[in-house]
């Protein structure tokens, strides 16, 4: 007998008090007093995040477009896939992903699918990330987008999917979206195939958007 599929479900425990002790440039910290199942009130601090998109751009040779840049909180240069914040509330995540692919890699894509949706650190942050699969990629004509800060010395490369998978399993690659994206593509290829992935405009309850 086949096991029924499992899925996450929406829920919200009672909150008796809330505050915002810190507000930053892009994110903030919220403190909620949450009532536990036994009736005990407990304080929970977490980062409030606007959400993000990431793009696993796969070329015809099964190479992934990756970039390398400095990440100060972890004191490392990480190999990543193009990604960025959802700066505008209600912004269509596909439009944001297309913008990030253009700005960070100067590339466009003909075929877009939703690869996977994740919460990066749900125990301490409400960040939701939608990772897209982009295929049929080609360079964009015209001037490149002006970069600044950590992107000033960013390196771009195209790396075989299999090589990235080996690096992930060897503990050599650590970026969340890269790890999830690469392993999700491999899972899709081993299953129903990339064309069976959700359409690019699939609903996203974690970050509802306008068409």
């Amino acid at each position: 007998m086949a096991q029924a599929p499992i899925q996450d479900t929406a829920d919200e425990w009672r909150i008796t008090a809330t505050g915002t002790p810190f507000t930053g440039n892009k994110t903030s910290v919220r403190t909620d007093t949450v009532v536990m199942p036994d009736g005990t009130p407990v304080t929970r601090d977490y980062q409030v995040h606007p959400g993000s998109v990431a793009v696993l751009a796969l070329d015809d040779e099964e190479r992934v477009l990756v970039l390398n840049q400095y990440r100060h909180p972890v004191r490392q240069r990480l190999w990543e896939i193009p990604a960025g914040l959802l700066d505008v509330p209600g912004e269509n995540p596909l439009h944001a992903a297309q913008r990030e692919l253009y700005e960070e890699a100067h590339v466009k894509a003909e075929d877009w699918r939703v690869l996977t949706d994740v919460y990066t650190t749900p125990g301490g942050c409400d960040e939701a990330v939608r990772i897209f699969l982009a295929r049929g990629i080609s360079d964009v004509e015209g001037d490149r987008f002006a970069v600044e800060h950590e992107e000033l010395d960013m390196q771009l490369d195209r790396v075989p999917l299999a090589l990235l998978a080996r690096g992930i399993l060897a503990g050599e690659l650590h970026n969340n979206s890269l790890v999830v994206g690469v392993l999700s593509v491999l899972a899709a290829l081993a299953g129903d195939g990339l064309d069976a992935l959700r359409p690019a405009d699939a609903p996203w309850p974690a970050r509802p958007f306008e068409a």
Side-chain angles (χ1 to χ4, degrees), residues 108-142:
K108 63 181 179 179
E110 297 299 323
D111 186 271
W112 290 82
R113 309 292 173 107
V114 174
L115 185 54
T116 190
D117 299 323
V118 295
Y119 291 112
T120 55
T121 49
C125 179
D126 71 350
E127 181 184 12
V129 181
R130 168 156 282 189
I131 303 175
F132 289 90
L133 173 68
R135 292 181 293 171
I137 61 176
S138 60
D139 293 334
V140 178
E141 296 180 357

Side-chain angles (χ1 to χ4, degrees), residues 134-155:
R135 292 181 293 171
I137 61 176
S138 60
D139 293 334
V140 178
E141 296 180 357
D143 295 333
R144 295 185 63 87
F145 181 79
V147 298
E148 59 181 357
H149 305 312
E150 286 88 349
E151 296 178 351
L152 284 171
D153 66 344
M154 187 169 62
Q155 304 171 42

Side-chain angles (χ1 to χ4, degrees), residues 28-50:
S28 60
V29 173
R30 183 172 297 161
T31 299
D32 289 342
T33 301
V34 185
V35 179
M36 298 291 106
D38 64 357
T40 304
V42 175
T43 299
R44 291 287 180 262
D45 301 317
Y46 59 99
Q47 183 183 20
V48 178
H49 193 285

Side-chain angles (χ1 to χ4, degrees), residues 162-189:
L163 185 61
L164 291 173
R166 286 196 292 272
I168 289 167
L169 298 179
E172 298 167 349
L173 299 170
H174 308 91
N175 175 262
N176 183 284
S177 294
L178 173 69
V179 171
V180 173
V182 167
L183 298 183
S184 294
V185 165
L186 291 174
L189 289 170

